[in-house]
Amino acid sequence: MNIGIITPSIYMYKKLYGDRIFAPGDLARNLVSGLMKRNHQVFWFSAPEETSANMIDGDLKLLEYKLKIRHFQDIASEDKEKMSLYAEKMYYEMDLLTKAYGMGMKKELDVLHVFHSFGYLAHFLEELTGVPTFYTLHDPVPTVNMLEYWLFNRFPTHRFLSISKSQQGNLSSHFFGNVYNGIDVDKFVFSEKGGEDLIAVGRMIP
């Protein structure tokens, strides 16, 4: 298959954000590697990095130039900094999504896998283009007072994947499947003998 993996976050850019914790990053790298080992053609829409996949990155100006939004009346300078970062993230995401869905509309991709939070802007492009897409969620499901909750209800037929059954919470009807996060089995070798100890590393969520 020709598979598009989309991780359209500026935090995938290790040159600037290598010291930042961005959990989907390493998971996406393992996924891309695993799919290629199974002889799929993988087109990876993300920040530039060394990979044997078909790398399609966004505009470096949005990563390195620290562009600012124009001055708006009644916006304090510290707010302008935050709004500029948000706009930078949004434009970078849209730049990559446009490339991905453009290839999908040309039938150069069989499916798109959005490996980025809730999918955000991708949902609107999927609706417009009809390109087969599914979304792996990495965060807890939203509560009713969140914009992401509106997103779930706006696109009830879109294909959401959870990374644990408990993650689905009271929105389980929105999920079409569950796939646990994978690991690089070359780095973590299975032992049939095992032992008495278990170490698990993750974040704690109320």
Side-chain angles (χ1 to χ4, degrees):
M1 291 182 69
N2 289 342
I3 301 172
I5 302 295
I6 307 177
T7 49
S9 171
I10 62 173
Y11 300 129
M12 290 293 294
Y13 193 38
K14 292 190 289 185
K15 178 180 175 181
L16 291 182
Y17 303 104
D19 60 346
R20 186 184 184 99
I21 295 174
F22 184 65
D26 287 333
L27 295 170
R29 293 177 183 101
N30 286 340
L31 176 61
V32 168
S33 176
L35 288 170
M36 294 189 65
K37 287 179 181 178
R38 288 161 177 76
N39 297 317
H40 294 291
Q41 281 289 323
V42 179
F43 297 82
W44 192 8
F45 301 86
S46 189
E49 61 178 81
E50 289 188 16
T51 176
S52 53
N54 301 289
M55 189 81 232
I56 302 170
D57 51 52
D59 192 335
L60 282 178
K61 293 186 181 70
L62 293 169
L63 294 173
E64 296 191 339
Y65 285 28
K66 300 302 176 188
L67 303 173
K68 306 298 180 188
I69 61 172
R70 61 174 295 178
H71 176 73
F72 288 100
Q73 189 176 8
D74 300 327
I75 294 179
S77 58
E78 60 270 21
D79 293 333
K80 183 178 178 181
E81 290 293 319
K82 293 177 182 177
M83 292 178 67
S84 294
L85 175 62
Y86 179 79
E88 179 184 29
K89 293 166 71 173
M90 182 180 65
Y91 288 165
Y92 192 76
E93 181 177 346
M94 184 57 77
D95 184 39
L96 280 173
L97 289 173
T98 301
K99 294 174 182 179
Y101 280 91
M103 288 183 64
M105 291 177 69
K106 295 176 188 175
K107 307 298 182 184
E108 296 172 349
L109 299 171
D110 297 309
V111 66
L112 287 174
H113 182 175
V114 179
F115 210 71
H116 172 54
S117 201
F118 291 95
Y120 296 118
L121 301 173
H123 294 283
F124 299 93
L125 290 180
E126 180 189 357
E127 183 173 82
L128 285 171
T129 64
V131 174
T133 307
F134 61 97
Y135 307 82
T136 291
L137 269 63
H138 299 278
D139 297 303
V141 294
T143 53
V144 293
N145 62 331
M146 294 181 179
L147 283 169
E148 288 82 6
Y149 191 87
W150 175 88
L151 196 70
F152 264 79
N153 290 320
R154 171 65 176 78
F155 300 101
T157 62
H158 284 194
R159 304 169 186 88
F160 291 99
L161 271 175
S162 60
I163 56 176
S164 74
K165 292 286 188 177
S166 63
Q167 180 195 25
Q168 297 180 7
N170 61 357
L171 292 174
S172 59
S173 62
H174 288 268
F175 290 87
F176 85 105
N178 180 76
V179 178
Y180 298 103
N181 287 329
I183 60 170
D184 184 343
V185 293
D186 293 329
K187 294 181 179 178
F188 301 92
V189 181
F190 174 72
S191 169
E192 291 187 3
K193 183 179 178 181
E196 296 182 358
D197 300 315
L198 172 68
I199 297 176
V201 180
R203 59 181 173 178
M204 299 183 68
I205 300 172

